[in-house]
Amino acid sequence: MRVLAIESSCDDTGIAIYKEAPLQLVHKLSSQTKIHQRFGGVVPELASRDHCLKMLPLIESVLEEAQITSKDIDGIAYTRGPGLIGALMVGAMMARSLAYSWNVPLIGVHHLEGHLLAPMLEDPKPDYPFIGLLVSGGHTLLAQVSAFGQYEILGQSLDDAAGEAFDKTAKLLNLSYPGGPKIEKLAKKGIADRFKFPRPLMQKDNLNFSFSGLKTHVRTTLERIGQEDQDRADIAYAFEQSAIDQLVRKAKHALIRTGLSRLVVAGGVAANQTLRKALDDMANDLSIEVFFPRLSLCTDNGAMIAYAGAQRFLHGQKEDPKAPICVKPRWPLSTL
Ligand code: KG4
Ligand code: ZN
C-alpha cells in the first residue's frame, strides 16, 4: 500500500510518500523558521497561512520526485493532533479533499506516535517491545511501547518540554529560534565544570522530568555574570549537560525498571549529538540496543506520519469520509 502523508502540526509543512515493499520513501519539508524567527517563537496564524501556501505545491513536487501520479496513491494520512489548531485544520482539510477526489481511504495520525515510530524507517529497525524516549519542542516523555499502538506513559515533563527549555535558554543567550542546534554549537566552546546546574527529580522511582528550574538558573547566572562570549558558552555547556543528564538518567531508570533491552529515541532534541553520544554510552553500559532516526526524521516530517498511517491502514483502520473533520490540538498519547 502506498500512502501519501501530510504533517502540519506546527511550523513545518511535511509531505511524504511511503510504501513498505518494495521500499519507497520520498519526503520533503517546507520550513517556516525564517517567518517565525523575528518573533522568537511560532506565531500560530502565520503558521496556518504558510501551510495553505506551501502544501499543494509540495504535494505536487513529492509526487513528481516519486515519479508517480495520484492514481498510484492507496491512502492518505494526516496529522490529527496534538498541535496548533489552525495548522492542523489546513492539513486535515487538504487530506480530506484529496481522499475524496482520489477516492482512497483517509486516516488521522497522532503526531507523537509518528515521532516514536520514526526509527522504524531505518535499517536496522527496532523490534517491539521497547522504551521510547520522546524529546521534542512540545513534549518530553518516556513510554513503554509493547506493540504497535500500545503506549504506556511511564513519565513526562511536569513543566517545559526539553526542546522548549533549549529554545527558552537560547533566547536568554540572545540566540535565535529554534535554539536547540545553536545551544549545541555554543556549548562545544564551553569550559566543563565551571558551572553545575540543578538536576531535579532525581529519585530512582520518579520517571518524570522538570526543565523550568534550569531555565531560571540560566537567567539568574546571566544576571550575575553578564553576557561575555566565554560566559555564554560556559552557561550553554552547563545547561546542556544538566538537561542531557536528566534525560539519560530517567531513560536508564525506565530500562532497568521494565527490564526491556531496547531504547528508541525520537523528536527534535534527538538530533543533538551530545545527547546521542551520552545515550549510546549508557546503552553500552547496560548492554542494550539504542535506535535513533536519521537527523531529518528527528524533527517534524511527513515520513513518520506516512509510516504510522500505513500501519493503521494495515490494522484495518480508516476514517469515515463523511464524518465532520475533527482535529485534536490536545490529545494524550495514552488514549490511543
Ligand atoms: O520534534 P520537533 O521538530 O517539533 C515538535 O514536535 O515539537 O522538535 C523541535 C524542537 C525545538 O525545540 C528545537 O530547538 C529542538 O527540537 N532541537 C534541538 C536540536 N535540534 C532541534 N534541541 C537540541 N539540540 C538540537 N540539535
Ligand atoms: Zn514534533
Side-chain angles (χ1 to χ4, degrees):
M1 164 168 217
R2 189 184 271 117
V3 176
L4 181 138
I6 299 173
E7 152 63 32
S8 68
S9 63
C10 191
D11 59 342
D12 289 310
T13 316
I15 304 293
I17 285 168
Y18 167 74
K19 186 158 85 62
E20 188 163 3
L23 178 68
Q24 182 180 32
L25 178 64
V26 178
H27 72 109
K28 291 194 173 198
L29 199 74
S30 171
S31 165
Q32 302 179 0
T33 301
K34 288 214 170 75
I35 296 176
H36 303 289
Q37 216 154 37
R38 68 194 168 102
F39 300 102
V42 178
V43 182
E45 177 64 23
L46 297 182
S48 310
R49 290 180 195 199
D50 200 62
H51 287 305
C52 289
L53 282 176
K54 303 290 166 55
M55 204 168 275
L56 203 47
L58 206 58
I59 291 171
E60 283 177 336
S61 125
V62 168
L63 283 169
E64 198 181 322
E65 189 172 320
Q67 298 186 326
I68 57 168
T69 69
S70 57
K71 292 191 182 61
D72 303 306
I73 299 294
D74 305 305
I76 312 261
Y78 69 97
T79 303
R80 191 173 181 204
L84 302 171
I85 187 160
L88 291 168
M89 287 295 288
V90 178
M93 275 302 296
M94 178 65 79
R96 171 68 63 90
S97 309
L98 292 180
Y100 179 78
S101 59
W102 296 351
N103 195 24
V104 293
L106 175 71
I107 189 81
V109 169
H110 196 293
H111 181 77
L112 303 188
E113 176 172 73
H115 271 305
L116 275 175
L117 300 184
M120 294 292 183
L121 291 164
E122 305 301 356
D123 186 19
K125 64 180 179 187
D127 288 326
Y128 296 104
F130 58 78
I131 293 293
L133 172 65
L134 175 69
V135 275
S136 73
H139 299 86
T140 296
L141 57 84
L142 275 163
Q144 180 166 342
V145 184
S146 308
F148 171 74
Q150 288 180 25
Y151 310 105
E152 186 192 339
I153 308 297
L154 302 175
Q156 55 196 316
S157 178
L158 303 177
D159 40 57
D160 293 346
E164 190 179 359
F166 271 89
D167 294 338
K168 287 179 174 170
T169 298
K171 211 169 180 176
L172 292 169
L173 292 169
N174 293 323
L175 298 168
S176 62
Y177 176 85
K182 284 140 207 156
I183 295 255
E184 182 178 7
K185 199 169 160 208
L186 185 60
K188 291 205 166 39
K189 297 183 197 149
I191 298 166
D193 303 330
R194 176 167 169 212
F195 301 111
K196 187 154 168 84
F197 287 177
R199 274 96 167 131
L201 307 176
M202 273 307 169
Q203 314 87 310
K204 278 202 170 79
D205 56 346
N206 189 335
L207 295 181
N208 290 322
F209 304 88
S210 168
F211 295 101
S212 69
L214 193 50
K215 172 195 64 197
T216 311
H217 216 82
V218 169
R219 196 177 51 237
T220 50
T221 309
L222 276 169
E223 281 164 6
R224 194 158 44 81
I225 64 163
Q227 287 261 16
E228 294 297 325
D229 283 353
Q230 191 57 51
D231 298 333
R232 291 168 68 248
D234 296 346
I235 289 173
Y237 178 90
F239 162 81
E240 191 181 53
Q241 286 300 314
S242 170
I244 288 177
D245 199 22
Q246 198 182 147
L247 293 168
V248 174
R249 282 206 223 180
K250 300 284 169 162
K252 184 175 178 181
H253 292 331
L255 287 157
I256 292 171
R257 186 197 287 183
T258 57
L260 294 181
S261 58
R262 287 178 212 104
L263 175 68
V264 162
V265 191
V269 182
N272 185 294
Q273 298 297 334
T274 315
L275 172 64
R276 286 167 97 106
K277 164 89 174 52
L279 288 167
D280 270 337
D281 291 348
M282 182 267 282
N284 268 337
D285 287 350
L286 290 184
S287 298
I288 62 128
E289 291 178 287
V290 60
F291 298 85
F292 303 96
R294 73 197 82 162
L295 294 188
S296 65
L297 300 186
C298 286
T299 43
D300 290 347
N301 64 86
M304 65 186 196
I305 302 303
Y307 178 82
Q311 299 309 303
R312 296 234 158 238
F313 283 133
L314 287 175
H315 284 75
Q317 297 176 16
K318 59 183 176 181
E319 284 181 13
D320 175 0
K322 297 212 177 72
I325 284 179
C326 169
V327 295
K328 295 190 167 192
R330 286 175 186 276
W331 188 8
L333 186 66
S334 53
T335 61
L336 275 193

